[in-house]
Amino acid sequence: MKKQMKKKLAVLLSLVLIISLALAGCKKKEEIPEPHKLAEAYYLLYTRGNTEELVKYGITEADAKKALKSYKTSMKSSFMTSANYAGGMFKSEDADKVIDSILHALAKLKYEVKTDEKDEEEGTATVILKTQSINLAKIQSELMKDMQNAIKSGKIKKKEQLGSYILSKIAELIKEIKPTEEMKEVILTMKLKTVKQNKKEVKRWMPENSYTFGTQIVKILITQ
């Protein structure tokens, strides 16, 4: 009887040991976020000014803030270039109001994003992004009409007042603009790269080309 008990106990201990060793050697494979998650994070940066999602999926906080600043600066620069052509009528602070209005309008856009194809062995993926846009061309006729009325009524008496008035009115009209009903589509290319996150090297899906990736997204957000 004692011998049988010892035998059963030995078998049980052996099983426990085998299971323990198996569990110890079975490391959980780190899950890599889907490619469309990072694409969505970039979209939220350009439409909501959100940097937190980029950081969550492998971009450093410093780089995320730098990307947002660069995006706003680029938009402002295009307005200031127009100002130079118009004889320097526009002031920097007036252009800031327009940029804020554009971001306000972009935050209303609806979108869809999904991973199209993914090959982890090759380290390549494509993502499809669909989004509404804002049509700035629609405000042109309204702006011209308002400007003519302002000149006739005496609201604008000097040429120096024109730049500030135009940009203030543009900012006002953009804030009220409704997103387009139809959605535009873009296919984004991504690569599986090793990045540092929380001082640890991890695999993450990143834009194949950071510059063209951002440009492709921004291009379908605004119609002029």
Side-chain angles (χ1 to χ4, degrees), residues 39 42-49 71 75 102-103 105-111 129-136 174 177-180 182-186 213-224:
Y42 268 95
Y43 179 86
L44 293 173
L45 176 84
Y46 296 134
T47 58
R48 275 71 165 168
Y71 171 53
M75 280 199 289
I102 289 174
L103 288 173
L106 293 177
K108 300 174 190 173
L109 303 183
K110 291 178 183 176
Y111 69 97
L129 170 67
K130 292 181 181 180
T131 178
Q132 291 178 308
S133 61
I134 55 171
N135 190 345
L136 296 185
I174 290 172
I177 208 167
K178 289 182 180 178
T180 58
E182 64 170 334
M183 295 182 106
K184 292 184 177 181
E185 181 181 306
V186 66
F213 190 88
T215 305
Q216 281 179 284
I217 294 174
V218 174
K219 198 175 179 181
I220 62 170
L221 296 177
I222 299 171
T223 304
Q224 292 183 346

Side-chain angles (χ1 to χ4, degrees), residues 12-13 18 65 83 107 202:
L12 281 171
L13 287 170
I18 289 165
K65 286 180 178 177
V202 293

Side-chain angles (χ1 to χ4, degrees), residues 53-70:
E53 289 299 306
L54 273 179
V55 175
K56 196 187 290 184
Y57 296 111
I59 304 294
T60 66
E61 190 174 347
D63 283 344
K65 286 180 178 177
K66 187 179 175 183
L68 181 59
K69 186 179 178 182
S70 175

Side-chain angles (χ1 to χ4, degrees), residues 1 40 60 65 84 111 131 133 139 147 155 199 221:
M1 188 76 172
E40 183 177 18
T60 66
K65 286 180 178 177
N84 291 332
Y111 69 97
T131 178
S133 61
I139 69 171
M147 217 170 69
K155 276 186 184 177
K199 298 180 181 179
L221 296 177

Side-chain angles (χ1 to χ4, degrees), residues 101 104-105 108 142 169-179:
S101 292
H104 179 84
K108 300 174 190 173
E142 203 172 332
K169 194 62 191 177
I170 287 173
E172 187 184 311
L173 291 170
I174 290 172
K175 261 190 179 179
E176 295 169 2
I177 208 167
K178 289 182 180 178

Side-chain angles (χ1 to χ4, degrees), residues 1-19:
M1 188 76 172
K2 281 183 180 179
K3 280 183 179 180
Q4 283 181 337
M5 285 292 288
K6 281 183 180 179
K7 215 172 186 180
K8 285 178 181 178
L9 189 60
V11 171
L12 281 171
L13 287 170
S14 296
L15 283 170
V16 170
L17 184 62
I18 289 165
I19 292 166

